[in-house]
């Protein structure tokens, strides 16, 4: 197990490095620079600023400097917001984004699995049809459309929930709902088909023949096996939710990381672009790592260690 | 001898898009304490459906017990609530399924799967359940049971898994063990070991066994009584000797002719020509008529009455009916 984690760790570092490198060069391919604005600046001021942010160095030197900043996890000051450092932006925005993301994942997983299991148990029954209708709608309607519909109906027309910002649990309901519906629908459909297949397995019959209660048969014997594909797709879904937060944060005016991320690209704020990208990729790569660990815990046939005792 | 199972006029149907499949059409069977009854017949003759009906394990829908009764120790299984049936499953009646490779849950340890039945039905501590499971593994011949309890199914071979499945079925000391083709998925040497294990267990625990198989070699080895099924009906029952040495139904004779024998070298096997009837619309007369070399006019019109040839031997065939015999003699 320790060997496996070590191996994965090295792979994770390499992955993040590749992402950082790609981002760096792509970023520099973009026309313009953070100091390039409409108003003309004094030539010497421009040079001084460039020197201050090391933008006058050759690209390769800048690259090395960036790598250094990644290694120390100190991305320096923002060029566009001189009073802020990248780290302070991350420190402020990330907890809010994480809150949104984690609640979204939890909502999607719990409701998706529940919906899928009940649909499978009442296969071709009314519950099945209702659940799958919800699922198809959830997959087809993009989250920003759903978000505006939710705001219009539940915030503006009925006034049940606040329309924007992020101050209390009530504020969180609509963004989470808007963001979680898509992943929930995918999970529900996957759980249903996987559950239907699992329920025809011989070991389910064995479990029933032992006289176990239906709940025990489903939760202990069927669900654990049926969740395998769901766990697999969880990694992809998390990436989707991560990018989804940008849009949702914008719509609901949530002061999360998404705002800085989009803004930084528009303004060519190099340190912020690099900082947020590296941060997001570290986060995502770590989540995928957790998914792989969970996979091994669910199915003992998947060996996480190289040379085990079998 | 005490009768522990009595099936009367059992009808089981499956409703599908194509219509109603009458899988079991009036089966009568009885089982006495401590005996081994083999139900034989080709694929689709209703033997597994009969066995699953006893445990009420027919998937419903589409399956349904339409008619008849299954009395187990005086109680009619067809009339019990699901909750009552669960108290019998695994405790009084246990079942072993065909394929040991799929009958065990791949994500749970052997120990967990062995003890969960015990914990469900008996008020005992985990420690006691564990000890009992280890005893059981010893009985079915698994070496190092302590260690093996913590392992997962994929760490066992097919034969070992079937032993575990058997241990699982026996752990609550059932009175009736239903084995649905327990050796079909195993290779021949392992088959022999598993059959010996059945005999040993029966000697030690006195459990009654219903053995479902299409392998007459298995039957010859351990069955005390045999019921031959065809197209959802039991067409002949008798002791092992009666069925093997004095088969009366042309179908039973055909089955025995199609088994290779060591003592008759070089002879060709005689297959039964044709295929079994479609159970969407079973024929009104004897279902074997179309394939029967001795079929008479009456066979396709009326299902034969049961003729008792001895106290233990009964056959559903017009050839054995006195009236038909007289008629044949007169023409």
């Amino acid at each position: 197990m320790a060997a496996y984690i070590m191996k994965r760790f090295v792979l994770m570092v390499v992955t993040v490095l590749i992402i950082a490198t790609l981002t760096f060069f792509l970023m520099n391919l973009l026309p313009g620079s953070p100091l390039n604005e409409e108003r003309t600046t004094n030539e010497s001021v421009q040079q001084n600023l460039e020197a201050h942010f090391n933008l006058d160095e050759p690209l390769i030197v800048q690259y090395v400097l960036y790598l250094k900043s990644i290694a120390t996890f100190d991305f320096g000051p923002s060029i566009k917001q001189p009073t802020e450092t990248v780290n302070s932006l991350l420190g402020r925005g990330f907890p809010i984004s994480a809150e949104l993301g984690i609640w979204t994942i939890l909502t999607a997983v719990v409701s998706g699995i529940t919906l899928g299991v009940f649909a499978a148990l009442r296969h071709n029954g009314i519950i099945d049809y209702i659940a799958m209708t919800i699922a198809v709608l959830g997959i087809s309607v993009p989250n920003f459309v759903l978000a505006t519909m939710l705001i219009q109906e539940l915030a503006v027309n009925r006034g049940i929930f606040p329309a924007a910002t992020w101050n209390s649990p009530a504020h969180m309901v609509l963004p989470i709902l808007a963001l979680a519906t898509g992943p929930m629908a995918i999970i529900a459909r996957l759980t249903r088909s996987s559950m239907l297949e699992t329920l025809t397995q011989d070991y389910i019959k064995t479990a029933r023949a032992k006289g176990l209660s239906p709940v025990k048969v489903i939760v202990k014997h069927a669900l654990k096996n049926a969740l395998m594909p769901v766990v697999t797709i969880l990694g992809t879904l998390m990436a989707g939710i991560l990018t989804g937060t940008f849009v949702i944060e914008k719509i609901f005016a949530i002061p999360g990381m998404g705002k800085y991320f989009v803004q930084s690209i528009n303004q060519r704020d190099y340190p912020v672009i690099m900082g947020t990208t590296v941060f997001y990729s570290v986060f995502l790569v770590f989540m995928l790592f957790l998914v792989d660990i969970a996979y091994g815990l669910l199915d003992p046939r998947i060996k996480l260690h190289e040379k085990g005792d079998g | 001898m005490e009768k522990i199972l009595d099936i009367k006029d059992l009808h089981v149907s499956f409703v599908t898009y194509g219509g109603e499949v009458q899988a079991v059409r009036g089966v009568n069977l009885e089982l006495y304490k401590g005996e081994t009854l083999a139900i034989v017949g080709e694929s689709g003759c209703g033997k597994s459906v009969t066995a699953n009906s006893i445990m009420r394990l027919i998937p419903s829908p589409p399956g349904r017990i339409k008619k008849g009764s299954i009395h187990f120790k005086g109680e009619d299984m067809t009339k019990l609530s699901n909750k009552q049936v669960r108290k019998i499953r695994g405790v009084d009646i246990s079942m072993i399924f065909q394929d040991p490779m799929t009958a065990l849950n791949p994500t749970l340890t052997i120990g967990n799967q062995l003890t969960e039945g015990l914990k469900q039905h008996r008020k005992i501590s985990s420690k006691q359940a564990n000890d009992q499971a280890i005893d059981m593994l010893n009985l079915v011949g698994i070496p190092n049971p302590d260690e093996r309890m913590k392992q997962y199914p994929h760490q066992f071979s097919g034969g070992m898994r079937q032993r575990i499945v058997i241990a699982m079925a026996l752990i609550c000391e059932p009175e009736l063990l239903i084995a649905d083709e327990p050796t079909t998925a195993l290779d021949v040497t392992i088959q022999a070991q598993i059959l010996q294990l059945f005999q040993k267990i029966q000697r030690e625990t006195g459990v009654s066994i219903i053995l479902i198989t299409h392998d007459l070699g298995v039957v010859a080895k351990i069955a005390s009584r045999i019921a031959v099924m065809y197209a959802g009906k039991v067409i002949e029952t008798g002791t092992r000797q009666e069925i093997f040495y004095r088969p009366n139904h042309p179908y039973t004779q055909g089955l025995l002719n199609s088994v290779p024998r060591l003592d008759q070298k070089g002879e060709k096997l005689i297959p039964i020509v044709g295929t079994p009837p479609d159970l969407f619309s079973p024929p009104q007369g004897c279902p074997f008529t179309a394939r029967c070399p001795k079929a008479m006019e009456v066979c396709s019109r009326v299902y034969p009455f049961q003729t008792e040839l001895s106290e233990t031997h009964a056959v559903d065939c017009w050839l054995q009916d006195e009236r038909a015999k007289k008629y044949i003699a007169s023409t």
Side-chain angles (χ1 to χ4, degrees):
Chain A
M1 192 71 184
Y4 174 78
I5 291 175
M6 268 315 290
K7 204 174 121 192
R8 274 306 300 255
F9 183 75
V10 172
L11 272 174
M12 280 156 67
V13 170
V14 172
T15 312
V16 171
L17 212 63
I18 291 172
I19 296 173
T21 309
L22 281 176
T23 318
F24 176 80
F25 288 106
L26 281 174
M27 179 178 85
N28 276 289
L29 278 177
L30 280 176
S33 94
L35 301 173
N36 208 329
E37 283 174 45
E38 283 118 43
R39 66 192 160 92
T40 42
T41 334
N42 185 307
E43 188 78 8
S44 60
V45 173
Q46 181 86 15
Q47 271 171 8
N48 275 339
L49 277 170
E50 275 184 14
H52 180 71
F53 293 110
N54 295 318
L55 293 177
D56 54 346
E57 304 278 357
L59 207 56
I60 194 74
V61 176
Q62 288 188 39
Y63 177 60
V64 172
L65 285 172
Y66 274 127
L67 290 188
K68 215 180 264 171
S69 69
I70 294 170
T72 54
F73 232 90
D74 179 9
F75 297 100
S78 160
I79 298 178
K80 282 290 165 183
Q81 290 151 287
T83 53
E84 299 267 15
T85 64
V86 177
N87 287 18
S88 74
L89 286 177
L90 291 179
R92 200 144 21 90
F94 178 68
I96 295 171
S97 292
E99 204 174 10
L100 174 61
I102 287 167
W103 280 112
T104 303
I105 278 278
L106 281 179
T107 313
V109 166
V110 171
S111 55
I113 289 175
T114 315
L115 216 56
V117 167
F118 278 103
L121 292 180
R122 298 277 174 274
H123 184 39
N124 288 336
I126 186 83
I127 296 178
D128 188 13
Y129 292 137
I130 294 172
M132 284 310 109
T133 308
I134 296 174
V136 169
L137 282 178
I139 290 175
S140 337
V141 180
N143 54 25
F144 51 86
V145 174
L146 187 64
T148 42
M149 276 162 56
L150 286 173
I151 292 174
Q152 179 64 37
E153 193 51 35
L154 296 179
V156 179
N157 289 358
R158 293 174 200 274
I160 303 172
F161 297 108
T165 72
W166 193 254
N167 296 322
S168 70
H171 284 87
M172 296 158 78
V173 174
L174 293 187
I176 290 171
L177 213 58
L179 194 50
T181 305
M184 178 207 76
I186 293 171
I187 292 174
R189 286 175 57 91
L190 205 61
T191 309
R192 171 177 174 270
S193 60
S194 165
M195 193 73 184
L196 281 177
E197 199 199 308
T198 309
L199 285 175
T200 62
Q201 295 289 322
D202 283 353
Y203 55 78
I204 297 300
K205 209 171 174 190
T206 313
R208 290 179 63 211
K210 277 183 204 167
L212 300 182
S213 65
V215 174
K216 225 173 188 171
V217 172
I218 288 156
V219 175
K220 185 173 171 186
H221 286 269
L223 201 55
K224 205 173 168 192
N225 286 283
L227 285 187
M228 229 64 90
V230 178
V231 173
T232 315
I233 205 171
L234 219 51
T236 332
L237 286 183
M238 271 193 245
I241 289 174
L242 207 70
T243 47
T245 54
F246 299 164
V247 180
I248 293 296
E249 284 178 6
K250 182 91 185 157
I251 293 174
F252 287 93
I254 297 165
M257 257 166 83
K259 191 176 92 186
Y260 304 123
F261 191 78
V262 178
Q263 216 172 50
S264 69
I265 294 175
N266 284 331
Q267 301 179 334
R268 316 283 187 273
D269 195 344
Y270 291 164
V272 183
I273 297 178
M274 286 311 293
T276 41
T277 311
V278 168
F279 189 79
Y280 269 130
S281 42
V282 167
F283 182 72
L284 193 63
V285 165
F286 183 68
M287 282 301 173
L288 293 179
F289 169 67
L290 287 187
V291 165
D292 278 5
I293 297 273
Y295 214 61
L297 290 179
L298 270 178
D299 192 342
R301 284 169 298 184
I302 294 163
K303 280 196 200 114
L304 291 181
H305 40 91
E306 286 296 279
K307 40 180 198 289
D309 51 353
Chain B
M1 267 208 297
E2 191 192 338
K3 196 192 277 184
I4 71 162
L5 186 73
D6 194 359
I7 302 176
K8 283 221 158 70
D9 198 30
L10 182 69
H11 286 74
V12 184
S13 288
F14 292 87
V15 181
T16 66
Y17 289 117
E20 186 184 323
V21 183
Q22 300 172 33
V24 171
R25 308 181 296 138
V27 160
N28 294 296
L29 276 177
E30 34 195 49
L31 183 74
Y32 298 93
K33 208 172 166 50
E35 76 168 347
T36 302
L37 170 71
I39 303 179
V40 294
E42 59 198 289
S43 303
C45 70
K47 51 194 197 302
S48 283
V49 174
T50 307
N52 283 320
S53 308
I54 299 171
M55 288 275 268
R56 286 263 299 272
L57 281 174
I58 298 286
S60 165
R64 194 161 68 90
I65 297 176
K66 273 177 76 183
K67 216 171 116 184
S69 64
I70 302 170
H71 280 275
F72 174 72
K73 292 202 303 181
E75 270 194 286
D76 188 350
M77 293 292 286
T78 60
K79 300 221 159 49
L80 295 181
S81 71
N82 286 336
K83 210 174 163 188
Q84 285 168 311
V85 170
R86 282 205 295 278
K87 286 196 176 129
I88 292 175
R89 280 184 196 154
V91 184
D92 296 311
I93 311 177
S94 274
M95 197 152 178
I96 295 168
F97 298 101
Q98 179 170 352
D99 189 355
M101 304 310 271
T102 56
L104 293 167
N105 190 329
T107 59
L108 298 172
T109 60
I110 297 305
N112 191 335
Q113 296 188 59
L114 272 166
T115 53
E116 67 176 346
L118 267 179
K119 285 179 187 161
Q120 170 91 17
H121 299 294
R122 306 233 196 285
K123 287 196 178 85
I124 58 169
S125 68
S126 292
K127 173 90 180 61
Q128 283 171 309
N130 233 37
D131 289 345
Q132 244 173 305
I134 289 171
D135 287 346
M136 216 60 231
L137 288 180
N138 265 324
L139 177 74
V140 298
I142 300 233
N144 306 327
D146 299 301
E147 250 172 70
R148 295 299 233 170
M149 289 279 283
K150 297 185 203 83
Q151 294 185 337
Y152 290 93
H154 68 276
Q155 291 161 304
F156 292 81
S157 67
M160 281 294 165
R161 286 194 215 184
Q162 192 61 303
R163 285 169 193 266
I164 289 161
V165 171
I166 293 171
M168 230 160 66
L170 291 172
I171 198 150
C172 287
E173 293 158 352
E175 290 181 53
L176 170 59
L177 181 65
I178 302 170
D180 189 354
E181 313 236 8
T183 57
T184 311
L186 303 171
D187 61 56
V188 184
T189 44
I190 308 293
Q191 269 187 20
Q193 290 172 14
I194 295 291
L195 291 179
Q196 273 166 11
L197 178 63
F198 273 116
Q199 286 173 315
K200 177 185 160 200
I201 285 161
Q202 194 163 43
R203 267 199 314 275
E204 288 178 21
T205 63
V207 64
S208 313
I209 298 175
I210 293 181
L211 181 75
I212 291 155
T213 182
H214 56 247
D215 185 344
L216 287 167
V218 170
V219 174
K221 198 151 186 193
I222 69 169
S224 44
R225 250 173 3 102
I226 297 168
V228 183
M229 280 189 74
Y230 186 78
K233 283 176 178 289
V234 175
I235 51 147
E236 185 167 7
T237 56
T239 62
R240 177 171 53 178
Q241 278 77 17
E242 283 164 340
I243 297 293
F244 273 96
Y245 297 108
R246 291 187 294 284
N248 258 288
H249 199 287
Y251 177 65
T252 316
Q253 290 164 356
L255 269 189
L256 290 166
N257 281 335
S258 55
V259 177
R261 292 176 60 157
L262 283 176
D263 54 351
Q264 289 171 350
K265 220 177 166 184
E267 261 186 55
K268 275 199 178 160
L269 294 179
I270 309 159
I272 305 173
V273 290
T275 51
D278 185 0
L279 290 179
F280 279 115
S281 51
Q284 67 177 125
C286 171
F288 192 58
T289 312
R291 306 169 77 183
C292 183
K294 298 169 188 164
M296 302 175 291
E297 213 185 319
V298 64
C299 296
S300 63
R301 300 230 177 115
V302 190
Y303 188 80
F305 294 92
Q306 190 179 63
T307 311
E308 295 198 355
L309 302 166
S310 78
E311 232 170 78
T312 50
H313 195 178
V315 65
D316 287 5
C317 182
W318 281 117
L319 290 171
Q320 304 307 323
D321 195 282
E322 288 305 323
R323 284 164 292 180
K325 274 185 186 165
K326 258 183 226 157
Y327 179 76
I328 293 166
S330 71
T331 51

